[in-house]
Amino acid sequence: MYATTRDPVARRPRARRAAWAHWKVTGDPTLALDVCGAAVGAGTASHGLPFLADLGPLAAVHAAPVRRLLESPGAWTRTYAAYAYWRITGDPEPAVPVLLAEVDPAWDGDPALPVREAVRILGEIGTPAVSAAPLLHRILAQEERLGRPWDGVRILADQAYVRTLTEALEGIDGWGK
């Protein structure tokens, strides 16, 4: 019902989540591919991309529209498009440069930017993202990684970022093992 309704509220991510849950429960990806693919085609891509990424190669029919989103003006959309494209096709070549462009060594911890998510995805891609390792090592070695207090949680935010960087480097080049 939530995945197929024409209710105006259905434009929210609820429809994508419901379709994705239907796939997880039934094993039938048809509804999830239709609903999440339609979101990508309708310009609400960021809401459909993580679900298409989870579907992986089952979402191959949507690879071309997802690849076009690698050039989206929105940083989060580009990041999730890179992730989805890699998960759908297994091809890291177009995804890694997009993700690497989001990793800003001067990032101040602003959660509105997908820096940590891009780092996490690079780590998930692993060895094919080895070109990111020098930058990630350089960021990790900085004495001060986050320049803003972010409401008194700067230390916690920095610790989380250090964990993300460390895990990404472990995935990419086995560093820290």
Coordinates of all heavy atoms in Angstrom, one line a residue, residues 36-104:
C36 N 11.8 2.8 -6.8 CA 13.1 3.5 -6.6 C 13.6 4.0 -7.9 O 14.2 5.1 -8.0 CB 14.1 2.6 -5.9 SG 13.6 2.1 -4.3
G37 N 13.5 3.3 -9.0 CA 13.9 3.8 -10.3 C 13.1 5.0 -10.8 O 13.6 5.9 -11.3
A38 N 11.8 5.0 -10.4 CA 10.9 6.1 -10.8 C 11.4 7.4 -10.0 O 11.4 8.5 -10.5 CB 9.5 5.8 -10.4
A39 N 11.8 7.2 -8.7 CA 12.3 8.3 -7.9 C 13.6 8.9 -8.6 O 13.7 10.1 -8.7 CB 12.7 7.8 -6.5
V40 N 14.5 8.0 -9.1 CA 15.7 8.5 -9.8 C 15.3 9.3 -11.0 O 15.8 10.3 -11.3 CB 16.6 7.3 -10.1 CG1 17.7 7.7 -11.0 CG2 17.2 6.8 -8.8
G41 N 14.3 8.7 -11.8 CA 13.9 9.4 -13.0 C 13.1 10.7 -12.8 O 13.1 11.5 -13.7
A42 N 12.5 10.8 -11.6 CA 11.7 12.0 -11.4 C 12.4 13.1 -10.7 O 11.8 14.1 -10.4 CB 10.5 11.6 -10.5
G43 N 13.7 12.9 -10.4 CA 14.4 14.0 -9.8 C 14.5 13.9 -8.3 O 15.1 14.8 -7.7
T44 N 13.9 12.9 -7.7 CA 14.1 12.8 -6.3 C 15.1 11.6 -6.1 O 14.9 10.8 -5.2 CB 12.8 12.4 -5.6 OG1 12.2 11.3 -6.2 CG2 11.8 13.6 -5.7
A45 N 16.2 11.7 -6.8 CA 17.2 10.7 -6.9 C 17.8 10.3 -5.5 O 18.0 9.1 -5.2 CB 18.3 11.1 -7.8
S46 N 18.1 11.3 -4.7 CA 18.8 11.0 -3.5 C 17.9 10.0 -2.6 O 18.5 9.3 -1.8 CB 19.1 12.2 -2.7 OG 18.0 13.0 -2.4
H47 N 16.6 10.1 -2.8 CA 15.8 9.2 -2.0 C 15.7 7.8 -2.6 O 15.5 6.8 -1.9 CB 14.3 9.7 -1.9 CG 14.2 11.0 -1.2 ND1 14.6 11.2 0.1 CD2 13.9 12.2 -1.7 CE1 14.4 12.4 0.4 NE2 14.0 13.1 -0.6
G48 N 16.0 7.6 -3.9 CA 16.0 6.3 -4.5 C 17.3 5.6 -4.6 O 17.4 4.4 -4.7
L49 N 18.4 6.4 -4.6 CA 19.7 5.9 -4.9 C 20.2 4.9 -3.9 O 20.7 3.8 -4.2 CB 20.7 7.0 -5.1 CG 20.6 7.8 -6.4 CD1 21.4 9.1 -6.3 CD2 21.0 6.9 -7.5
P50 N 20.1 5.1 -2.6 CA 20.5 4.1 -1.6 C 19.8 2.8 -1.7 O 20.4 1.7 -1.5 CB 20.2 4.8 -0.2 CG 20.2 6.2 -0.5 CD 19.6 6.3 -1.9
F51 N 18.6 2.8 -2.1 CA 17.8 1.6 -2.3 C 18.3 0.8 -3.5 O 18.4 -0.4 -3.5 CB 16.3 1.8 -2.3 CG 15.8 2.5 -1.1 CD1 15.4 3.8 -1.1 CD2 15.8 1.8 0.1 CE1 14.9 4.4 0.1 CE2 15.3 2.4 1.3 CZ 14.9 3.7 1.3
L52 N 18.5 1.6 -4.6 CA 19.1 1.0 -5.8 C 20.4 0.4 -5.6 O 20.8 -0.7 -6.1 CB 19.1 2.0 -7.0 CG 17.8 2.4 -7.6 CD1 17.9 3.4 -8.7 CD2 17.0 1.2 -8.1
A53 N 21.2 1.1 -4.8 CA 22.6 0.6 -4.4 C 22.4 -0.8 -3.7 O 23.2 -1.7 -3.9 CB 23.3 1.6 -3.5
D54 N 21.5 -0.8 -2.8 CA 21.3 -2.1 -2.0 C 20.8 -3.2 -3.0 O 21.2 -4.4 -2.8 CB 20.2 -1.9 -0.9 CG 20.3 -3.0 0.1 OD1 21.4 -3.5 0.4 OD2 19.3 -3.2 0.8
L55 N 20.1 -2.9 -4.0 CA 19.6 -3.9 -4.9 C 20.8 -4.4 -5.8 O 20.7 -5.5 -6.4 CB 18.5 -3.3 -5.8 CG 17.1 -3.3 -5.2 CD1 16.3 -2.2 -5.8 CD2 16.5 -4.6 -5.2
G56 N 21.8 -3.6 -5.9 CA 23.0 -4.0 -6.6 C 22.7 -4.3 -8.1 O 22.0 -3.6 -8.8
P57 N 23.3 -5.4 -8.6 CA 23.1 -5.8 -10.0 C 21.7 -6.0 -10.4 O 21.4 -5.9 -11.6 CB 23.9 -7.1 -10.1 CG 25.0 -7.0 -9.0 CD 24.3 -6.3 -7.9
L58 N 20.8 -6.2 -9.5 CA 19.4 -6.4 -9.8 C 18.8 -5.1 -10.4 O 17.9 -5.1 -11.2 CB 18.5 -6.7 -8.6 CG 18.8 -8.1 -8.0 CD1 18.0 -8.2 -6.7 CD2 18.3 -9.2 -9.0
A59 N 19.5 -4.0 -10.1 CA 19.1 -2.6 -10.6 C 19.8 -2.2 -11.9 O 19.8 -1.0 -12.2 CB 19.3 -1.6 -9.5
A60 N 20.4 -3.2 -12.6 CA 21.2 -2.8 -13.8 C 20.4 -2.0 -14.8 O 21.0 -1.2 -15.5 CB 21.7 -4.1 -14.5
V61 N 19.1 -2.2 -14.9 CA 18.3 -1.4 -15.8 C 18.4 0.1 -15.6 O 18.1 0.9 -16.4 CB 16.8 -1.9 -15.9 CG1 16.1 -1.6 -14.5 CG2 16.0 -1.3 -17.0
H62 N 18.7 0.5 -14.3 CA 18.8 1.9 -13.9 C 20.2 2.4 -14.0 O 20.5 3.6 -13.5 CB 18.2 2.1 -12.6 CG 16.8 1.7 -12.5 ND1 15.8 2.4 -13.2 CD2 16.1 0.7 -11.9 CE1 14.6 1.8 -13.0 NE2 14.8 0.8 -12.2
A63 N 21.2 1.6 -14.4 CA 22.6 2.1 -14.4 C 22.8 3.4 -15.2 O 23.6 4.2 -14.7 CB 23.5 0.9 -14.9
A64 N 22.3 3.5 -16.3 CA 22.5 4.7 -17.2 C 22.0 6.0 -16.5 O 22.7 7.0 -16.4 CB 21.9 4.5 -18.6
P65 N 20.7 6.0 -16.0 CA 20.3 7.2 -15.3 C 21.1 7.5 -14.0 O 21.3 8.6 -13.7 CB 18.8 6.9 -14.9 CG 18.4 5.7 -15.7 CD 19.6 5.0 -16.2
V66 N 21.5 6.4 -13.3 CA 22.3 6.6 -12.1 C 23.6 7.2 -12.5 O 24.1 8.2 -11.9 CB 22.5 5.3 -11.4 CG1 23.5 5.5 -10.3 CG2 21.1 4.9 -10.7
R67 N 24.3 6.8 -13.6 CA 25.5 7.3 -14.0 C 25.4 8.8 -14.4 O 26.3 9.6 -14.1 CB 26.1 6.5 -15.2 CG 27.5 7.0 -15.5 CD 28.3 6.2 -16.5 NE 29.5 6.8 -16.7 CZ 30.6 6.1 -17.0 NH1 30.6 4.8 -17.1 NH2 31.7 6.8 -17.2
R68 N 24.3 9.2 -15.0 CA 24.2 10.6 -15.3 C 24.2 11.5 -14.1 O 24.6 12.6 -14.1 CB 22.9 10.8 -16.1 CG 23.0 10.4 -17.6 CD 21.8 10.8 -18.4 NE 20.6 10.2 -18.1 CZ 20.2 9.0 -18.6 NH1 20.9 8.3 -19.4 NH2 19.0 8.5 -18.2
L69 N 23.7 10.9 -13.0 CA 23.6 11.7 -11.7 C 25.0 11.9 -11.1 O 25.1 12.6 -10.1 CB 22.7 11.0 -10.7 CG 21.2 11.0 -11.2 CD1 20.4 10.2 -10.3 CD2 20.7 12.5 -11.1
L70 N 26.0 11.2 -11.6 CA 27.4 11.5 -11.1 C 27.8 12.9 -11.3 O 28.7 13.4 -10.7 CB 28.4 10.6 -11.8 CG 28.2 9.1 -11.5 CD1 29.2 8.3 -12.4 CD2 28.4 8.8 -10.0
E71 N 27.1 13.6 -12.2 CA 27.4 15.0 -12.5 C 26.3 16.0 -12.0 O 26.2 17.1 -12.4 CB 27.5 15.2 -14.0 CG 28.7 14.4 -14.6 CD 28.8 14.5 -16.1 OE1 28.1 15.4 -16.7 OE2 29.5 13.7 -16.7
S72 N 25.5 15.5 -11.0 CA 24.5 16.3 -10.4 C 25.1 17.5 -9.7 O 26.2 17.4 -9.2 CB 23.7 15.4 -9.4 OG 22.9 16.2 -8.6
P73 N 24.3 18.6 -9.6 CA 24.8 19.7 -8.9 C 24.8 19.5 -7.4 O 25.5 20.2 -6.6 CB 23.9 20.9 -9.2 CG 22.6 20.2 -9.8 CD 23.1 18.9 -10.3
G74 N 24.1 18.5 -6.9 CA 24.0 18.3 -5.5 C 25.1 17.3 -5.0 O 25.2 16.2 -5.5
A75 N 25.8 17.7 -4.0 CA 26.9 16.8 -3.5 C 26.4 15.5 -2.9 O 27.0 14.4 -3.2 CB 27.7 17.6 -2.4
W76 N 25.3 15.5 -2.2 CA 24.8 14.2 -1.7 C 24.3 13.3 -2.8 O 24.5 12.1 -2.8 CB 23.6 14.5 -0.7 CG 24.1 14.8 0.7 CD1 24.2 16.1 1.2 CD2 24.7 13.9 1.7 NE1 24.8 16.0 2.5 CE2 25.0 14.7 2.8 CE3 24.8 12.5 1.7 CZ2 25.6 14.1 3.9 CZ3 25.4 12.0 2.9 CH2 25.7 12.8 4.0
T77 N 23.7 13.9 -3.8 CA 23.2 13.1 -5.0 C 24.4 12.5 -5.7 O 24.3 11.3 -6.1 CB 22.3 14.0 -5.9 OG1 21.2 14.4 -5.2 CG2 21.9 13.2 -7.1
R78 N 25.4 13.3 -5.9 CA 26.6 12.8 -6.6 C 27.2 11.6 -5.8 O 27.6 10.6 -6.4 CB 27.7 13.8 -6.8 CG 27.4 14.8 -7.9 CD 28.7 15.7 -8.1 NE 29.2 16.4 -7.0 CZ 28.7 17.5 -6.5 NH1 27.8 18.2 -7.1 NH2 29.3 18.1 -5.4
T79 N 27.3 11.8 -4.5 CA 27.9 10.8 -3.6 C 27.1 9.5 -3.7 O 27.6 8.4 -3.9 CB 28.0 11.3 -2.2 OG1 28.8 12.5 -2.2 CG2 28.5 10.3 -1.2
Y80 N 25.8 9.6 -3.5 CA 24.9 8.4 -3.6 C 24.8 7.8 -5.0 O 24.7 6.6 -5.1 CB 23.5 8.7 -3.0 CG 23.5 8.7 -1.5 CD1 22.9 9.7 -0.8 CD2 24.2 7.7 -0.7 CE1 22.9 9.8 0.6 CE2 24.2 7.7 0.6 CZ 23.6 8.8 1.3 OH 23.6 8.8 2.7
A81 N 24.9 8.6 -6.0 CA 25.0 8.1 -7.4 C 26.2 7.3 -7.6 O 26.2 6.2 -8.2 CB 24.8 9.2 -8.4
A82 N 27.4 7.8 -7.1 CA 28.6 7.1 -7.2 C 28.5 5.7 -6.5 O 28.9 4.7 -7.1 CB 29.8 7.9 -6.7
Y83 N 28.0 5.7 -5.3 CA 27.8 4.5 -4.6 C 26.9 3.5 -5.3 O 27.2 2.3 -5.5 CB 27.3 4.8 -3.2 CG 27.1 3.6 -2.3 CD1 28.2 2.7 -2.0 CD2 25.9 3.3 -1.7 CE1 28.0 1.7 -1.2 CE2 25.8 2.2 -0.8 CZ 26.8 1.4 -0.6 OH 26.7 0.3 0.2
A84 N 25.7 4.0 -5.7 CA 24.8 3.2 -6.4 C 25.3 2.6 -7.7 O 25.2 1.4 -8.0 CB 23.5 3.9 -6.7
Y85 N 26.0 3.5 -8.5 CA 26.6 3.0 -9.8 C 27.6 1.9 -9.5 O 27.6 0.9 -10.2 CB 27.2 4.2 -10.5 CG 27.7 3.7 -11.9 CD1 26.7 3.7 -12.9 CD2 29.0 3.4 -12.2 CE1 27.1 3.2 -14.2 CE2 29.3 3.0 -13.4 CZ 28.4 2.9 -14.4 OH 28.8 2.4 -15.7
W86 N 28.5 2.1 -8.5 CA 29.4 1.0 -8.2 C 28.8 -0.2 -7.8 O 29.1 -1.3 -8.2 CB 30.4 1.5 -7.1 CG 31.3 0.4 -6.6 CD1 32.3 -0.2 -7.3 CD2 31.2 -0.1 -5.3 NE1 32.8 -1.2 -6.5 CE2 32.2 -1.2 -5.3 CE3 30.4 0.1 -4.2 CZ2 32.4 -1.9 -4.1 CZ3 30.6 -0.6 -3.1 CH2 31.6 -1.6 -3.0
R87 N 27.8 -0.1 -6.9 CA 27.1 -1.3 -6.4 C 26.3 -2.0 -7.5 O 26.2 -3.3 -7.6 CB 26.1 -1.0 -5.3 CG 26.8 -0.5 -4.0 CD 27.4 -1.7 -3.2 NE 26.6 -2.9 -3.1 CZ 25.7 -3.1 -2.1 NH1 25.6 -2.3 -1.1 NH2 25.0 -4.2 -2.0
I88 N 25.7 -1.2 -8.4 CA 24.9 -1.8 -9.5 C 25.8 -2.5 -10.6 O 25.6 -3.6 -11.0 CB 24.1 -0.7 -10.2 CG1 23.0 -0.3 -9.3 CG2 23.5 -1.3 -11.5 CD1 22.2 1.0 -9.7
T89 N 26.9 -1.8 -11.0 CA 27.8 -2.3 -12.1 C 29.0 -3.0 -11.6 O 29.6 -3.8 -12.4 CB 28.2 -1.2 -13.0 OG1 29.1 -0.3 -12.2 CG2 27.0 -0.4 -13.5
G90 N 29.5 -2.8 -10.4 CA 30.8 -3.3 -10.0 C 31.9 -2.5 -10.5 O 33.1 -2.9 -10.3
D91 N 31.7 -1.5 -11.3 CA 32.7 -0.7 -11.9 C 33.1 0.5 -11.0 O 32.3 1.5 -10.9 CB 32.2 -0.2 -13.3 CG 33.3 0.6 -14.0 OD1 34.4 0.7 -13.6 OD2 32.9 1.2 -15.1
P92 N 34.3 0.5 -10.4 CA 34.6 1.7 -9.6 C 35.2 2.9 -10.3 O 35.3 4.0 -9.8 CB 35.7 1.1 -8.7 CG 36.4 0.1 -9.5 CD 35.3 -0.5 -10.4
E93 N 35.5 2.7 -11.6 CA 36.2 3.8 -12.4 C 35.5 5.1 -12.3 O 36.1 6.1 -12.0 CB 36.5 3.3 -13.8 CG 37.5 2.2 -13.9 CD 38.9 2.6 -13.3 OE1 39.3 3.7 -13.5 OE2 39.5 1.7 -12.7
P94 N 34.2 5.2 -12.7 CA 33.6 6.5 -12.6 C 33.2 6.9 -11.2 O 33.1 8.1 -11.0 CB 32.3 6.3 -13.5 CG 32.1 4.9 -13.6 CD 33.4 4.2 -13.3
A95 N 33.1 6.0 -10.3 CA 32.7 6.4 -8.9 C 33.8 7.0 -8.1 O 33.6 7.9 -7.3 CB 32.1 5.1 -8.2
V96 N 35.0 6.4 -8.1 CA 36.1 6.8 -7.3 C 36.4 8.3 -7.4 O 36.5 9.0 -6.4 CB 37.3 5.9 -7.4 CG1 38.5 6.5 -6.7 CG2 37.0 4.5 -6.9
P97 N 36.6 8.9 -8.6 CA 36.9 10.3 -8.7 C 35.8 11.2 -8.2 O 36.1 12.2 -7.6 CB 37.1 10.5 -10.2 CG 37.2 9.2 -10.8 CD 36.6 8.2 -9.9
V98 N 34.5 10.8 -8.3 CA 33.4 11.6 -7.8 C 33.5 11.6 -6.3 O 33.3 12.6 -5.7 CB 32.1 11.0 -8.3 CG1 30.9 11.6 -7.6 CG2 31.9 11.2 -9.8
L99 N 33.7 10.4 -5.7 CA 33.8 10.4 -4.2 C 35.0 11.1 -3.7 O 34.9 11.8 -2.7 CB 33.8 8.9 -3.8 CG 32.6 8.1 -4.1 CD1 32.8 6.6 -4.0 CD2 31.4 8.6 -3.2
L100 N 36.1 10.9 -4.4 CA 37.4 11.6 -4.0 C 37.2 13.1 -4.0 O 37.7 13.8 -3.1 CB 38.5 11.1 -4.9 CG 39.9 11.4 -4.4 CD1 40.2 10.9 -3.0 CD2 40.9 10.7 -5.3
A101 N 36.5 13.6 -5.0 CA 36.2 15.1 -5.1 C 35.4 15.6 -3.9 O 35.5 16.8 -3.5 CB 35.5 15.4 -6.4
E102 N 34.7 14.7 -3.2 CA 33.9 15.2 -2.0 C 34.7 15.1 -0.8 O 34.3 15.7 0.3 CB 32.7 14.3 -1.9 CG 31.7 14.3 -3.0 CD 31.2 15.7 -3.3 OE1 31.1 16.6 -2.4 OE2 30.9 16.0 -4.5
V103 N 35.9 14.5 -0.8 CA 36.7 14.4 0.4 C 37.6 15.7 0.5 O 38.6 15.8 -0.2 CB 37.6 13.2 0.4 CG1 38.4 13.1 1.7 CG2 36.7 11.9 0.3
D104 N 37.1 16.6 1.3 CA 37.8 17.9 1.5 C 38.7 17.9 2.7 O 38.2 17.7 3.8 CB 36.7 19.0 1.6 CG 37.3 20.4 1.8 OD1 38.5 20.5 1.8 OD2 36.5 21.3 1.9

